[in-house]
Amino acid sequence: MLSLRYFPASFSRRLESFEFPRKNSNAVVCATKGPRPRYPRVWKTRTRIGTISKSVKLVECVKGLSNVKEEVYGALDSFIAWELEFPLITVKKALKTLENEKEWKRIIQVTKWMLSKGQGRTMGSYYTLLNALAEDGRLDEAEELWMKLFSENLESTPRMFFEKMISIYYQREMHEKLFETFADMEELGMRPNMSIVTMVGDVFQKLGMLDKYAKLKKKYPPPIWEYRYIKGKRIRIRANQLDKSDHANKGVNDYDGETDLKSNAVYEDAKVASDEFQDEAYPSEDYEASSDELGEAVNSLSET
């Protein structure tokens, strides 16, 4: 009969002689997440245009147009013709760029075109349009837009709209409308900020209404604390410290201006003195100085 016998010594020797092949692992051990595989990077050849480059192209497209409404709207329609969705982010970035460049007419055109498409109907878009109309000198349209927004959003009108309209009336010395806007603000129970209180108080002082100015200051005293966002954190700072820092910055700027004026005056004096020295040391061709006179001039300069 066949019998299977087990030889432990020979089997162990065979195991010692046999070695498993080691594979070159492409795993890189991370400190936090453990090993992760390394794959070959496959770069896409198709270039994708982002919103920033699109907004730049939109600004360049709008700047090269005339002020004809049909031409502007046609160019904007052709710009978004191949978009599956309305490029709202691109248009918003383009409006921000135009605002930084103070292209108020282009802002009005693009914003009205966007609103006609039923897109971007937010308070931010309406505020941008209101600001552009005021800066462009179209006060009638700005007031019409303001009355429309105020009638539709009576109790939910943001305070920045009141501040903008009061600043417009304050700059143009339209005191009656300024008082009406401030009265509407008080009727709605909206507390004005310090810029609104300052503008209304200045108007009271100009018109000689000192009693109303005193009541205004008593009703809305300056805040003790103000808030600033530093590195994304909301920090409470005393208003006195902010005033001192503002005065200090103003004083530093004034001192820099004085030093610049003084340095310019010193530079001009030095330039005049150098011109006189050059006239003395190098006279014109009509006057021929002798060597003795030149030597005396050099000796006198060296002594001084």
Side-chain angles (χ1 to χ4, degrees):
M1 293 178 65
L2 295 174
S3 61
L4 296 175
R5 296 182 181 180
Y6 175 67
F7 299 98
S10 62
F11 187 71
S12 62
R13 288 177 184 175
R14 288 179 182 176
L15 286 176
E16 290 176 358
S17 62
F18 181 76
E19 294 181 357
F20 292 97
R22 296 181 179 179
K23 295 182 179 180
N24 295 327
S25 61
N26 294 328
V28 178
V29 179
C30 299
T32 57
K33 297 182 180 179
R36 58 187 177 88
R38 288 282 188 181
Y39 297 106
R41 295 179 179 178
V42 180
W43 299 101
K44 294 183 179 180
T45 56
R46 183 172 59 87
T47 58
R48 301 182 66 180
I49 301 176
T51 56
I52 297 176
S53 58
K54 284 184 180 179
S55 64
V56 172
K57 289 184 178 180
L58 180 58
V59 171
E60 292 176 354
C61 174
V62 170
K63 280 187 176 180
L65 301 175
S66 63
N67 292 327
V68 181
K69 179 180 177 181
E70 289 77 10
E71 182 179 354
V72 175
Y73 279 31
L76 292 172
D77 290 338
S78 63
F79 185 83
I80 65 166
W82 299 100
E83 298 287 342
L84 298 178
E85 296 180 356
F86 187 84
L88 188 60
I89 299 175
T90 303
V91 176
K92 289 284 187 179
K93 288 182 179 180
L95 288 173
K96 192 65 177 178
T97 305
L98 292 171
E99 186 177 359
N100 294 332
E101 296 177 0
K102 296 182 179 180
E103 295 283 344
W104 307 118
K105 291 184 179 180
R106 301 304 182 187
I107 291 174
I108 294 169
Q109 293 168 354
V110 176
T111 308
K112 286 186 175 182
W113 167 78
M114 180 180 66
L115 295 174
S116 67
K117 296 292 182 182
Q119 302 290 334
R121 291 186 176 181
T122 60
M123 285 297 177
S125 301
Y126 287 120
Y127 183 79
T128 303
L129 180 58
L130 181 65
N131 184 30
L133 290 171
E135 293 292 337
D136 197 34
R138 299 158 71 169
L139 186 59
D140 296 335
E141 295 184 22
E143 287 183 342
E144 184 180 355
L145 177 62
W146 158 246
M147 293 305 297
K148 178 184 177 182
L149 293 173
F150 184 64
S151 60
E152 291 178 356
N153 309 285
L154 188 62
E155 296 182 356
S156 61
T157 305
R159 187 172 58 183
M160 61 181 182
F161 283 87
F162 288 97
E163 183 179 359
K164 185 61 183 178
M165 293 306 299
I166 289 175
S167 66
I168 291 170
Y169 296 144
Y170 177 75
Q171 292 174 0
R172 289 166 174 79
E173 296 183 354
M174 303 171 69
H175 300 154
E176 294 182 359
K177 292 187 177 181
L178 185 143
F179 291 148
E180 290 177 1
T181 308
F182 185 71
D184 294 336
M185 193 175 182
E186 284 190 329
E187 287 180 2
L188 292 173
M190 189 178 297
R191 185 177 180 84
N193 54 11
M194 286 309 299
S195 62
I196 297 175
V197 174
T198 304
M199 287 186 285
V200 176
D202 290 342
V203 175
F204 281 148
Q205 286 181 339
K206 287 180 182 179
L207 298 178
M209 302 177 181
L210 299 180
D211 53 345
K212 292 186 178 181
Y213 175 74
K215 290 180 181 179
L216 180 69
K217 287 295 183 181
K218 186 178 180 180
K219 186 176 181 180
Y220 303 109
I224 302 174
W225 300 97
E226 290 189 6
Y227 294 92
R228 293 290 184 270
Y229 288 90
I230 301 174
K231 294 183 179 179
K233 294 182 180 180
R234 191 168 181 254
I235 298 175
R236 190 175 69 170
I237 305 173
R238 282 189 177 273
N240 297 331
Q241 296 179 358
L242 293 174
D243 294 338
K244 290 179 181 178
S245 64
D246 293 339
H247 289 305
N249 293 331
K250 185 177 180 182
V252 168
N253 294 330
D254 295 341
Y255 178 74
D256 292 339
E258 291 178 359
T259 52
D260 292 337
L261 292 175
K262 290 180 180 179
S263 61
N264 291 332
V266 170
Y267 175 73
E268 290 177 358
D269 294 340
K271 188 175 181 181
V272 171
S274 63
D275 293 338
E276 292 177 354
F277 172 72
Q278 288 180 0
D279 293 338
E280 292 179 359
Y282 303 100
S284 60
E285 296 178 355
D286 297 336
Y287 175 73
E288 294 180 358
S290 62
S291 60
D292 297 333
E293 291 176 352
L294 291 174
E296 290 177 359
V298 170
N299 292 330
S300 63
L301 289 173
S302 61
E303 290 175 359
T304 57

